[in-house]
Amino acid sequence: MLLADERAQVCEYARRLTADGLVVGTSGNISVRVGEHVAVTPTGVAYEDLRPADVPVVALDGSPVDGELRPTSELPMHLTIYRRAEDPDGAPVTAVVHTHSAHATAVSTLVDEVPPIHYMLASIGPTARVAEYATYGTEALAEAMLTALDGRRGCLLANHGTVTYGDGLSAAYHRAQQLEWCCQVWLLARSAGAPAVLPKYEVERVADKLRTYGQP
């Protein structure tokens, strides 16, 4: 089976989306790129029932390559990231995670960007912008998202959710979790007053430290 390991990863992380409360039902989607091929969640399939053979594989132009099921309706967002997004550090872009996480979606209705309320927002960028609203599954949404992603590894989608990317699903998923958590912290702080945010130089310092974070 073409991209067997990657399709299995898509199933694993799709189920994590539900377990971690980042989506409800069949909302949200995940993809992994290998060369000119992309394995992506299908549309309208319950994640607990998802099997590797159910995960369609498409080319970078969206044409079907393998699999019987139709890909997610948000395929334009995924393909736009793979074709046009650039990691701020020049790292490969090989995985995309799209969530409907509650706190981030709530924040997307209130502000144009999430300020550095916590240093872990540096895993996304100096801030997390909110892309202008557009109907789901459209090229207009993909273009709005791409604008918000400039110099960032993730963004909020107005009245919709989040998108994050990385070199591998582990990195992309971790950023989705961190972005949702930072939005939750911002909402809690904002409900009590005007939260203090970190200065630009500190976010830049943390971004440098994160490049070598973890085990070698």
Side-chain angles (χ1 to χ4, degrees):
M1 182 170 59
L2 183 65
L3 301 189
D5 290 343
E6 289 74 19
R7 288 159 104 166
Q9 277 191 332
V10 167
C11 294
E12 174 191 350
Y13 277 89
R15 283 188 277 272
R16 284 187 62 181
L17 281 176
T18 303
D20 292 341
L22 298 179
V23 301
V24 174
T26 62
S27 63
N29 29 79
I30 284 175
S31 68
V32 179
R33 175 183 179 178
V34 179
E36 300 300 303
H37 294 152
V38 176
V40 62
T41 45
T43 186
V45 176
Y47 293 146
E48 62 266 24
D49 299 328
L50 197 61
R51 302 169 303 164
D54 297 326
V55 176
V57 176
V58 300
L60 287 177
D61 63 2
S63 58
V65 173
D66 194 24
E68 299 296 324
L69 300 182
R70 288 185 294 117
T72 173
S73 58
E74 297 290 12
L75 185 62
M77 285 203 305
H78 292 256
L79 297 182
T80 294
I81 289 175
Y82 291 129
R83 292 194 303 251
R84 299 168 60 188
E86 297 181 1
D87 183 273
D89 291 335
V93 180
T94 62
V96 175
V97 174
H98 167 47
T99 80
H100 286 187
S101 47
H103 297 97
T105 302
V107 171
S108 79
T109 70
L110 298 172
V111 294
D112 294 327
E113 67 177 1
V114 183
I117 187 72
H118 189 275
Y119 64 80
M120 279 309 300
L121 193 66
S123 66
I124 300 295
T127 61
R129 299 190 188 99
V130 179
E132 291 185 7
Y133 180 81
T135 304
Y136 81 92
T138 63
E139 293 291 343
L141 177 58
E143 289 298 323
M145 172 206 67
L146 190 65
T147 298
L149 284 176
D150 185 28
R152 309 291 193 273
R153 299 179 185 89
C155 70
L156 280 62
L157 308 172
N159 302 82
H160 186 156
T162 73
V163 172
T164 55
Y165 67 77
D167 185 11
L169 265 177
S170 177
Y173 194 86
H174 173 75
R175 287 170 184 151
Q177 291 177 301
Q178 293 293 345
L179 182 54
E180 168 65 359
W181 183 82
C182 285
C183 287
Q184 182 179 11
V185 170
W186 185 89
L187 280 173
L188 287 169
R190 186 68 181 85
S191 69
V197 296
L198 296 172
K200 180 180 178 181
Y201 69 81
E202 176 60 15
V203 177
E204 292 174 348
R205 178 185 300 165
V206 171
D208 286 338
K209 288 173 68 68
L210 288 176
R211 291 186 181 99
T212 57
Y213 178 78
Q215 298 298 321

